[in-house]
DNA sequence: CCAAAAGTGTTGGGACTACACCCATGA
DNA sequence: TCATGGGTGTAGTCCCAACACTTTTGG
């Protein structure tokens, strides 16, 4: 069993980058228009080959940054897709990641390498290249599952947010309406939100209190066995 | 961006195979003693290279079968480990899987390829080769998380089992005692267990009713939005 | 008859659901 | 002053945790 005598699949990372469009109240995904064959002209998830000297996480972050300019977004490995004929060019195994970014504070550029990158509503995706539709569905399911028992909803919001914004995040991801009073009670009772002195500005109605998520406190509570749950 | 111009990491699968030793009331993992360098003589997770014409799942099942003879055990992709220096021989990316098998009904052979294979208590693992300790810890955490909201505890038991056996599975995996009456109430109220006409045999006390898990019913309930939870 | 595990109900407290009105603000 | 979302409390229900004794069986 010697490492070098075996043929090797090519190895890539693909990223499902979720963004929250707050004005449209919708969840979006960043897609790239393919410039080359195969699937030339089709939409695809951003991705690329893993360099020999970088970790998989680094490869995924590199892709994320190339496409969005973001360096510190939430990112997590999703699943590895390795069907032998998922790529017509040959055996390509892809480690998929998903990322959560706050769409409203970043005008995503067109992509560093001049590929056309656009945000698409998750409810109206065009046909995708390769098995990217499968990857996307896997990511969405994971997001919907994870958002209920881990505090990742915050990752889609700016650092300072109002409770109604947070509630909307959950409603959008879970696809159902939540009761305002119950939601506030629940989320505030966890003691993970810090009320800020500021308030919303420039809204044509009563300005909401702003909060931030207390990551430190969460880490501490978590280590004591606390379980976040919506 | 052409597939063939990039150098490629080697690609392997590694399997964390969990077994339940009912007599010892303990969770075990199958380890292999390495016959070659690097880490010759150390214990490691069973694993091997992915063939060019098989899926990752197939590769993992192949490894599982080679080590245990089991063809239809529960198996699931865990995580992909790709640190550039996780293998001293060069860049090797490993897709890790975990499997659940019923240890008491199979006397696992010594491994088809004459490697020494042994079950080890998860509480008393020897030092492991490569990053296999990390992989193992990831698998254990996943198992502990998943067992609470997916019916995978059954996979560690024979098809026919008593409620006390099932309770023990949960106690072993979660590492805490559960209340007998509450456990029975909860698990029976889900309506996923079918009471069998038989009973335990050859026990020096009152023989327990035997049950089997109704996979069909679970699939149906699941599709209607039902959530398993312990 | 003894040891060992199987089997069985009730109660109190905490959490979740459902639900409607007044408040503050900018236009 | 109006439109828009911000902000608040209660009552009923359900679920969960805690808890101890009787039954069956083989040795």
């Amino acid at each position: 069993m010697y490492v070098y005598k075996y043929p090797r699949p090519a190895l890539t990372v693909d990223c499902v980058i979720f963004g929250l469009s707050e004005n449209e109240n919708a969840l979006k995904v960043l897609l790239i228009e393919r410039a080359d064959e195969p699937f030339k002209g089709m939409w695809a998830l951003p991705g690329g080959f893993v360099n020999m000297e970088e970790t998989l996480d680094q490869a995924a972050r590199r892709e994320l940054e190339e496409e969005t300019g973001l360096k510190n977004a939430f990112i997590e490995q999703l699943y590895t897709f390795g069907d032998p004929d998922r790529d017509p060019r040959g055996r390509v195994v892809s480690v998929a990641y998903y990322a959560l970014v706050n769409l409203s504070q970043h005008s995503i550029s067109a992509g560093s390498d001049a590929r056309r990158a656009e945000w698409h509503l998750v409810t109206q995706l065009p046909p995708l290249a390769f098995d990217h539709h499968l990857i996307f569905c896997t990511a969405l399911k994971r997001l919907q599952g994870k958002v209920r028992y881990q505090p990742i909803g915050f990752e889609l919001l700016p650092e300072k947010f109002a409770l109604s914004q947070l509630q909307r995040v959950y409603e959008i991801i879970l696809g159902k309406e939540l009761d305002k009073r119950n939601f506030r009670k629940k989320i505030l009772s966890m003691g993970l939100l810090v009320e800020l002195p500021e308030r919303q500005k420039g809204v044509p109605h009563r300005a909401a209190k702003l909060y931030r998520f207390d990551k430190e406190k969460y880490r501490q509570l978590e280590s004591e066995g606390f379980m976040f749950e919506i």
Side-chain angles (χ1 to χ4, degrees), chain A:
Chain A
M1 164 155 145
Y2 189 60
V3 169
Y4 299 104
K5 85 181 186 202
Y6 291 86
R8 303 172 174 194
L11 189 69
T12 60
V13 292
D14 286 311
C15 295
V16 183
I17 305 171
F18 289 107
L20 192 76
S21 157
E22 290 184 64
N23 26 0
E24 292 170 87
N25 273 3
L27 193 61
K28 297 192 162 191
V29 180
L30 190 66
L31 299 178
I32 304 282
E33 196 177 42
R34 284 186 61 78
D36 304 295
E37 292 296 345
F39 302 106
K40 185 170 175 174
M42 264 182 113
W43 293 96
L45 297 171
F49 290 90
V50 176
N51 294 336
M52 287 302 271
E53 61 290 331
E54 69 186 352
T55 65
L56 300 173
D57 281 27
Q58 281 164 359
R61 287 202 177 278
R62 182 171 50 73
E63 281 301 324
L64 178 68
E65 191 182 345
E66 281 173 17
E67 297 306 333
T68 66
L70 292 173
K71 284 201 171 194
N72 292 310
F74 171 88
I75 195 169
E76 192 174 88
Q77 197 188 104
L78 173 64
Y79 196 81
T80 299
F81 295 83
D83 195 282
D85 31 58
R86 56 179 294 280
D87 189 318
R89 293 167 295 184
R91 184 83 195 262
V92 181
V93 170
S94 177
V95 183
Y97 279 75
Y98 72 105
L100 304 180
V101 309
N102 171 237
L103 184 41
S104 59
Q105 42 182 200
H106 300 273
S107 63
I108 307 302
S109 62
S112 63
D113 48 4
R115 293 182 283 178
R116 205 170 120 216
E118 268 176 23
W119 291 96
H120 291 251
L121 290 170
V122 297
T123 49
Q124 292 169 36
L125 286 196
L128 299 183
F130 306 104
D131 56 355
H132 287 187
H133 187 69
L134 173 63
I135 298 180
F136 162 76
C137 289
T138 308
L140 185 59
K141 232 181 280 172
R142 175 86 133 250
L143 177 61
Q144 288 172 336
K146 205 134 194 174
V147 81
R148 302 207 288 138
Y149 60 94
Q150 285 199 12
I152 58 175
F154 307 97
E155 306 287 349
L156 288 159
L157 290 174
E159 173 146 356
K160 302 171 182 181
F161 54 86
L163 286 184
S164 59
Q165 288 179 282
L166 186 61
Q167 182 176 342
R168 217 172 309 136
V169 170
Y170 280 93
E171 289 179 336
I172 290 171
I173 295 178
L174 298 175
K176 67 175 179 194
E177 300 207 335
L178 302 173
D179 180 86
K180 184 164 56 159
R181 278 175 287 192
N182 294 338
F183 179 82
R184 292 161 99 92
K185 233 180 301 173
K186 179 95 178 250
I187 204 96
L188 287 175
S189 73
M190 291 190 275
L192 290 171
L193 297 189
V194 181
E195 190 176 327
L196 300 172
E198 317 145 62
R199 288 180 163 258
Q200 272 183 332
K201 279 183 186 142
V203 287
H205 53 75
R206 178 171 174 179
K209 288 179 191 169
L210 294 179
Y211 296 82
R212 69 172 177 79
F213 176 65
D214 190 340
K215 242 179 220 177
E216 273 319 306
K217 183 138 182 208
Y218 173 64
R219 268 198 273 269
Q220 195 206 319
L221 287 176
E222 192 190 19
S223 71
E224 295 166 5
F226 167 81
M227 291 260 171
F228 180 90
E229 204 188 330
I230 278 294

